[in-house]
Amino acid sequence: MAVVEPVETPAGARRRLRLRNPATLEEIGEIEVSTESDVRAAVERARKSQPGWASLRFEERGRYLRRAVRVLLERQDEFVDAIVRETGKPRAEALAVEILAACDALSFYARRAKRILADRTLPVHLMKTKKLRIAYRPLGVAGIITPWNFPFLLSLNPTVQALMAGNTVVLKPSELTPFSGQLVEKLLEEAGLPEGVFNLVLGDGETGAALVEAGVDKISFTGSVRTGRRVGEACGRNLVPCTLELGGKDPMIVCADADLERAANGAVYGAFSNAGQVCVSTERVYVVDEIHDAFVEKVVAKTAQLRQGAEGEFDVGPMISESQLGIVERHVEDARAKGAQIRSGGRRNPAQAGLFFEPTVLTGVTHEMAIMRDETFGPVLPIMRVRDEDEALRLANDSPYGLNANVWTRDKGKGERMAKALQSGSAVVNDCMLTYGVTESPFGGVKESGVGQVNGEIGLRSFCHAQSILIDRFGAKSEVLWYPYTAKKLGLLRRALRLLYGTPLGRLFS
Ligand code: NAD
């Protein structure tokens, strides 16, 4: 049964979508799909309110966000209920990753944006008669398009960064989790945000595509590589800057000197939290030969302890949709047919009504299998035996993706060296998945995993144009390079060239 399906509407009426809870398949509500003209109207509202919003001081913009933190703290249960209803995720995950991380993003940027985006003076090495200032100017209206896996946080976090940088926002959340998008709207409304500064449009890919074409000044997109490519193409055609936060196939490398107990716990958490539906999930593991069997034994035992369910205390929730579940089934079946051993799980959970796939551990996998090459985005942990760390690094880099990665070793220096040898946007030593959650850390993939970065100073500045303002300091009546061009000036230029780049003294200046 589809968790999102069209509702029959009279001819000429707006499209509507009906949503179900993926854990129970119960109906949870309907949304009206925003049309192209709704999207344009939202962008227009955002455009009108942008100059007023940008004219506020950082402290004033931050005050709204701090008020949002208070609302979120007071109403956390209500927000968690709504997120759990449309994703089925465990309450602990909703509270930690959606609410706590949202409070952190709100307070972090509210407090630090002023310092990060303050005008700066840069030293000028050559033209000492000029002063160089850098002003971080808002881009205007930011269009933000988000996925369903952390539907509240991934919608709120870029919104907060765009707002603190002085932009106004139009958000289009996933059609699978529109109610979390409405939570962002409600939160900012209750925090008293001025009219038109934040705007929500609902719908599927059609609405997202309309937003990309609606004349916004920046697109912040989080989602799959396939859609990201289309969004990037449209932004290229429209000459609109975009950041694309896309999928991954994150490798985990376990060295012979790793703390096996911690590594096994980390592998189980990294692979199965949010039912494996995390962009930085551990999607493939390379373990050096001498510890492979001991590691596998621990992982299989720990996986057996996980409780899957829809209510009460449980560890692993459902997949979000039939089509995601279908990908997981195809990857596991392909691996089994090519010789992998299923050490745990390997099938839909027959005890549950909803879209559950059992936490699954595979061994004997190879790079000929889809499970080691394509993003699975489900609760599957394939483990591959490798000769040594060099082979692990080579295989980890043998992927079109490069989002995140993790290395496990007691030698932290080696861990850092191996992290640098990994072709990934970020990496973690002796932990996993954390890089998105550490607010200071810029986040974004290399290779097909994305373009540009969110979060941290770099992410905040990506919602601005760094305008350089060059100011003449002394007001001379003319400059050396201005007219007239004479033989004397030519000679002067030649001597300057030789002095600056052909002598040791000149090299000091240049
Ligand atoms: P998706 O690409 O199917 O959809 C993402 C969003 O794009 C949705 O809101 C969707 O409605 C919209 N969309 C669809 N077609 C569009 C179009 N033509 N133009 C504009 N918008 C369009 O992705 P998904 O299934 O929602 O999310 C899962 C994917 O997101 C996974 O690949 C996962 O790895 C990735 N992801 C990446 C990050 C990251 O930070 N790198 C974070 C979370 C998820």
Side-chain angles (χ1 to χ4, degrees), residues 359-376:
T360 295
V361 179
L362 303 175
T363 54
V365 292
T366 69
H367 270 220
E368 273 61 60
M369 301 171 185
I371 199 78
M372 295 299 276
R373 304 199 64 85
D374 302 336
E375 186 180 47
T376 307

Side-chain angles (χ1 to χ4, degrees), residues 331 478 508:
H331 283 191
S478 183
L508 277 181

Side-chain angles (χ1 to χ4, degrees), residues 54-69:
S55 73
L56 297 183
R57 288 180 295 118
F58 284 108
E59 290 83 354
E60 293 171 303
R61 296 205 285 265
R63 211 168 293 141
Y64 290 105
L65 301 191
R66 271 194 288 275
R67 236 179 266 153
V69 175

Side-chain angles (χ1 to χ4, degrees), residues 411-488:
D411 177 347
K412 296 193 183 94
K414 179 175 78 177
E416 197 175 327
R417 283 195 299 281
M418 289 178 72
K420 284 182 189 157
L422 284 162
Q423 295 163 3
S424 67
S426 50
V428 191
V429 179
N430 295 332
D431 208 327
C432 55
M433 298 206 294
L434 270 179
T435 34
Y436 195 95
V438 175
T439 331
E440 285 83 357
S441 159
F443 182 85
V446 296
K447 302 203 266 187
E448 291 188 6
S449 288
V451 174
Q453 289 170 304
V454 286
N455 296 355
E457 297 193 357
I458 291 177
L460 191 59
R461 287 182 182 153
S462 79
F463 283 100
C464 298
H465 180 82
Q467 183 188 34
S468 59
I469 302 170
L470 201 63
I471 304 162
D472 179 62
R473 291 168 67 196
F474 302 118
K477 298 293 173 217
S478 183
E479 292 279 333
V480 182
L481 295 179
W482 294 1
Y483 299 132
Y485 298 149
T486 59
K488 190 175 161 204

Side-chain angles (χ1 to χ4, degrees), residues 145-149 154 172-175 203-205 208-209 212 221-224 227 230-231 245-248 279 375 377 403 436 443:
I145 301 174
T146 56
W148 46 262
N149 60 332
L154 293 182
K172 206 298 281 175
S174 169
E175 63 274 30
D204 47 23
V212 178
F221 173 84
T222 311
S224 64
T227 313
R230 295 175 70 180
V231 169
E245 300 294 333
L246 311 179
C279 57
E375 186 180 47
F377 223 55
L403 192 57
Y436 195 95
F443 182 85

Side-chain angles (χ1 to χ4, degrees), residues 6-267:
V7 178
E8 270 195 41
T9 44
R14 281 163 199 252
R15 282 201 295 135
R16 294 185 71 79
L17 299 174
R18 179 181 301 121
L19 278 298
R20 289 177 196 280
N21 175 332
T24 61
L25 299 181
E26 285 160 5
E27 274 185 40
I28 53 170
E30 291 183 10
I31 58 158
E32 191 171 84
V33 173
S34 305
T35 62
E36 200 182 318
S37 65
D38 294 337
V39 173
R40 288 196 177 272
V43 171
E44 197 47 42
R45 281 196 301 279
R47 171 103 31 232
K48 278 212 182 91
S49 59
Q50 197 270 333
W53 178 248
S55 73
L56 297 183
R57 288 180 295 118
F58 284 108
E59 290 83 354
E60 293 171 303
R61 296 205 285 265
R63 211 168 293 141
Y64 290 105
L65 301 191
R66 271 194 288 275
R67 236 179 266 153
V69 175
R70 288 200 291 277
V71 175
L72 207 43
L73 282 179
E74 276 161 24
R75 314 261 298 273
Q76 51 182 282
D77 286 336
E78 190 189 318
F79 276 65
V80 165
D81 284 346
I83 294 166
V84 168
R85 199 161 42 242
E86 69 178 352
T87 60
K89 63 177 67 186
R91 292 186 75 80
E93 273 174 21
L95 196 62
V97 187
E98 305 266 16
I99 306 300
L100 191 151
C103 287
D104 191 50
L106 284 160
S107 39
F108 180 89
Y109 294 108
R111 182 146 169 224
R112 291 173 180 78
K114 182 177 176 180
R115 179 186 57 76
I116 298 171
L117 301 181
D119 291 357
R120 294 189 297 156
T121 302
L122 287 189
V124 178
H125 77 283
L126 192 55
M127 296 195 189
K128 298 290 183 196
T129 57
K130 311 292 171 202
K131 176 175 165 182
L132 176 60
R133 298 278 291 157
I134 303 292
Y136 293 97
R137 308 277 304 272
L139 293 170
V141 178
I144 297 177
I145 301 174
T146 56
W148 46 262
N149 60 332
F150 293 101
F152 181 67
L153 177 70
L154 293 182
S155 295
L156 185 71
N157 185 38
T159 296
V160 164
Q161 293 174 47
L163 291 178
M164 276 315 294
N167 304 279
T168 50
V169 167
V170 179
L171 169 71
K172 206 298 281 175
S174 169
E175 63 274 30
L176 291 163
T177 50
F179 302 119
S180 292
Q182 287 177 337
L183 289 180
V184 175
E185 182 181 49
K186 185 163 150 181
L187 177 69
L188 296 176
E189 219 172 78
E190 293 192 14
L193 211 68
E195 181 89 16
V197 169
F198 173 83
N199 305 271
L200 180 72
V201 293
L202 296 181
D204 47 23
E206 247 179 72
T207 312
L211 180 55
V212 178
E213 300 290 347
V216 293
D217 304 296
K218 153 110 187 179
I219 286 288
S220 165
F221 173 84
T222 311
S224 64
V225 172
R226 194 166 50 87
T227 313
R229 218 183 276 282
R230 295 175 70 180
V231 169
E233 280 167 9
C235 286
R237 184 167 24 78
N238 295 331
L239 297 179
V240 171
C242 63
T243 47
L244 305 173
E245 300 294 333
L246 311 179
K249 187 75 193 168
D250 290 358
M252 168 178 190
I253 297 178
V254 189
C255 302
D257 65 349
D259 176 338
L260 275 201
E261 182 65 17
R262 181 172 170 82
N265 280 326

Side-chain angles (χ1 to χ4, degrees), residues 194-368:
E195 181 89 16
V197 169
F198 173 83
N199 305 271
L200 180 72
V201 293
L202 296 181
D204 47 23
E206 247 179 72
T207 312
L211 180 55
V212 178
E213 300 290 347
V216 293
D217 304 296
K218 153 110 187 179
I219 286 288
S220 165
F221 173 84
T222 311
S224 64
V225 172
R226 194 166 50 87
T227 313
R229 218 183 276 282
R230 295 175 70 180
V231 169
E233 280 167 9
C235 286
R237 184 167 24 78
N238 295 331
L239 297 179
V240 171
C242 63
T243 47
L244 305 173
E245 300 294 333
L246 311 179
K249 187 75 193 168
D250 290 358
M252 168 178 190
I253 297 178
V254 189
C255 302
D257 65 349
D259 176 338
L260 275 201
E261 182 65 17
R262 181 172 170 82
N265 280 326
V268 170
Y269 176 70
F272 302 131
S273 99
N274 208 34
Q277 302 167 116
V278 186
C279 57
V280 289
S281 282
T282 299
E283 287 245 340
R284 53 197 169 115
V285 186
Y286 303 98
V287 189
V288 296
D289 182 46
E290 56 212 280
I291 50 152
H292 173 272
D293 295 350
F295 176 79
V296 168
E297 200 179 307
K298 279 182 185 289
V299 166
V300 171
K302 289 172 193 300
T303 303
Q305 303 295 315
L306 296 175
R307 298 154 301 170
Q308 201 161 36
E311 49 191 286
E313 274 190 12
F314 64 94
D315 305 304
V316 182
M319 308 287 310
I320 193 71
S321 66
E322 263 304 329
S323 72
Q324 280 301 136
L325 218 160
I327 296 171
V328 176
E329 284 183 318
R330 280 198 298 283
H331 283 191
V332 171
E333 179 46 31
D334 171 74
R336 197 199 53 75
K338 289 176 179 159
Q341 291 92 54
I342 297 174
R343 305 293 294 268
S344 176
R347 56 173 191 170
R348 285 181 187 232
N349 187 331
Q352 298 293 335
L355 306 174
F356 290 83
F357 196 85
E358 291 180 345
T360 295
V361 179
L362 303 175
T363 54
V365 292
T366 69
H367 270 220
E368 273 61 60

